[in-house]
Every structure is written in C-alpha cells, then in structure tokens.
C-alpha cells in the first residue's frame, strides 16, 4: 500500500512530512513532496488528511479490493469528504463528520 503525490498540486508546505509516523515523506530540491520508501508505507492516510491541497492520494490496490483506485480527502470544517476515484474514471464521495469520531 502506498501513496502518490501530485507534484503539480503540491504547495511545498511540508505538513505531510511532519505528520508521517514513519518519516517516509520529504521535500525534494524543488520543494515538492515525495515518498522516499513507498514499500514501508502502511496506508494510515495521515498525510492524505493533512494535505490541504489534496495533492496526496492513497493508492487502493487489488490487495484491499481497490482495483487501482485513488483516495483523496477534502476538509470542510468538521466534515471530511473522502473521494474515491475508481480506475475507470468514476468518482464516489463519502462524507464523514469528524464530530462523530468517538461515537462508537
Ligand atoms: S501536505 Fe500536500 S501540499 Fe504540503 S508538502 Fe505535502 S503534498 Fe505538498
Ligand atoms: S499513508 Fe501514513 S505511512 Fe504512508 S506515507 Fe502517508 S502518513 Fe506515511
């Protein structure tokens, strides 16, 4: 499992590098984020949620039934709008209210 960075969308804020629990992300000489050791990523999605530019997508591989889709998230106050972009081009959006995080 791993992520991919859209270098054109990356603003170079460095927040993903700060939050990755495995210290897997860094900024290159041009100021764009990259993942140095993708094989070590365990898909926690912390960087995906932290990126305000939606420049990081979680790769949804076959091993988890994702069939090559990509997962990004847009924050809107307490709401998280998770967008699943399927390999065929279709996008499905699932909205989660962060205020419900500890409800269950
Ligand atoms: S959080 Fe997003 S915009 Fe900021 S450096 Fe990482 S990929 Fe780029
Ligand atoms: S998904 Fe988690 S482990 Fe993988 S690069 Fe992002 S923050 Fe690091």
């Amino acid at each position: 499992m791993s992520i991919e960075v859209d270098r054109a969308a990356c603003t170079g804020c460095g927040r993903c590098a700060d939050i990755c629990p495995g210290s897997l992300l860094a900024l290159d000489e041009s100021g764009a984020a990259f993942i140095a050791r993708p094989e070590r990523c365990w898909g926690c999605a912390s960087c995906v949620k932290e990126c305000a530019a939606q420049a990081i997508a979680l790769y949804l591989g076959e091993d988890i039934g994702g069939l090559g889709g990509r997962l990004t998230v847009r924050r809107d106050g307490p709401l998280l709008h998770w967008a699943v972009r399927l390999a065929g081009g279709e996008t499905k959006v699932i909205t989660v209210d962060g205020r419900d995080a500890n409800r269950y």
Side-chain angles (χ1 to χ4, degrees), residues 5-6 9-17 25 27 31-33 47 50-56:
V5 178
D6 179 347
C10 174
T11 63
C13 70
R15 293 174 65 137
C16 56
L25 289 155
L27 301 182
C47 59
E50 194 66 19
C51 181
Q54 297 170 61
I56 304 180

Side-chain angles (χ1 to χ4, degrees), residues 1-4 24-25 34-43:
M1 185 172 289
S2 187
I3 54 106
E4 64 180 12
L24 304 178
L25 289 155
F34 72 100
I35 182 164
R37 303 290 302 270
E39 75 278 9
R40 291 195 175 180
C41 170
W42 61 92

Side-chain angles (χ1 to χ4, degrees), residues 87-104:
E90 183 186 358
T91 299
K92 295 182 178 181
V93 178
I94 301 166
T95 298
V96 176
D97 190 330
R99 292 168 293 195
D100 294 337
N102 295 320
R103 174 176 288 186
Y104 304 106

Side-chain angles (χ1 to χ4, degrees), residues 5-99:
V5 178
D6 179 347
R7 294 172 54 84
C10 174
T11 63
C13 70
R15 293 174 65 137
C16 56
D18 290 341
I19 200 147
C20 176
S23 301
L24 304 178
L25 289 155
L27 301 182
D28 66 16
E29 62 282 349
S30 70
F34 72 100
I35 182 164
R37 303 290 302 270
E39 75 278 9
R40 291 195 175 180
C41 170
W42 61 92
C44 70
S46 296
C47 59
V48 179
K49 289 188 282 187
E50 194 66 19
C51 181
Q54 297 170 61
I56 304 180
L58 184 68
Y59 178 70
L60 304 173
E62 258 185 276
D63 51 335
I64 58 168
L67 300 178
R70 307 285 193 278
L71 181 68
T72 57
V73 64
R74 180 175 62 83
R75 284 184 184 272
D76 177 18
L79 302 180
L80 294 174
H81 303 288
W82 292 93
V84 182
R85 187 163 29 98
L86 304 175
E90 183 186 358
T91 299
K92 295 182 178 181
V93 178
I94 301 166
T95 298
V96 176
D97 190 330
R99 292 168 293 195

